[in-house]
């Protein structure tokens, strides 16, 4: 087996594992265990951690959803202590969403688990 074939097989196995994990999470996302985030909530949290403080509309755009869905998702993240809302000092009407240290820790934990 050549190096390219070996690498291709490893990538294929990794993709299969990812698909299996996504299917499993998708099934459980409808009714997450108490204290756990749904897949979408986890993606929102990762976006907030990776992108830094952002407005709800920008979060909605990043997630490909509506402002209302992004707002409800942030409500859940706040309940878990993973994100906070604060006024946007650059625009008094706006609100920024930012991760808490617990939120950053949660994303690191999730990424370690995926690895």
């Amino acid at each position: 087996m050549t190096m390219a074939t070996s690498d291709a097989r490893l990538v294929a196995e990794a993709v299969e594992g990812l698909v299996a994990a996504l299917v499993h999470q998708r099934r459980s996302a409808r009714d997450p265990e108490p204290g756990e985030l749904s897949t979408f909530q986890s993606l929102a949290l990762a976006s907030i951690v990776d992108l830094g403080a952002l407005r709800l509309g920008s979060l909605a755009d990043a997630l490909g959803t509506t402002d209302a869905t992004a707002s409800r998702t942030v409500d859940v993240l706040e309940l878990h202590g993973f994100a906070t809302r604060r006024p946007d000092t650059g625009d008094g009407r706006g609100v920024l969403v930012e991760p808490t240290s617990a939120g950053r820790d949660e994303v690191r934990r999730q990424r370690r688990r995926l690895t």
Side-chain angles (χ1 to χ4, degrees), residues 15 19 24 40-42 45 50 52 69 71 74-75 87 97 101 103:
V15 169
V19 169
H24 174 73
F40 189 77
Q41 293 161 352
S42 293
L45 179 58
D50 292 343
T69 298
S71 183
V74 171
D75 289 344
V97 179
S101 60

Side-chain angles (χ1 to χ4, degrees), residues 2-113:
T2 67
M3 179 64 95
T5 303
S6 175
D7 289 346
R9 194 173 93 224
L10 289 174
V11 170
E13 289 171 359
V15 169
E16 287 174 351
L18 176 61
V19 169
L22 290 173
V23 168
H24 174 73
Q25 284 186 342
R26 183 173 218 175
R27 265 190 261 126
S28 65
R30 290 184 190 94
D31 191 19
E33 292 294 319
E36 289 186 6
L37 298 177
S38 71
T39 301
F40 189 77
Q41 293 161 352
S42 293
L43 289 172
L45 179 58
S47 294
I48 295 166
V49 167
D50 292 343
L51 299 173
L54 48 136
R55 294 179 69 133
L56 277 171
S58 297
L59 177 61
D61 290 344
L63 297 171
T65 193
T66 65
D67 290 0
T69 298
S71 183
R72 286 190 301 273
T73 301
V74 171
D75 289 344
V76 172
L77 297 177
E78 284 184 308
L79 283 173
H80 285 281
F82 294 149
T84 60
R85 287 179 170 102
R86 67 173 170 83
D88 182 351
T89 57
D91 179 355
R93 300 169 298 153
V95 174
L96 292 172
V97 179
E98 60 188 2
T100 63
S101 60
R104 286 186 287 276
D105 290 344
E106 176 66 11
V107 169
R108 279 192 291 275
R109 185 190 68 74
Q110 289 175 2
R111 287 178 175 162
R112 276 194 308 272
R113 190 185 68 190

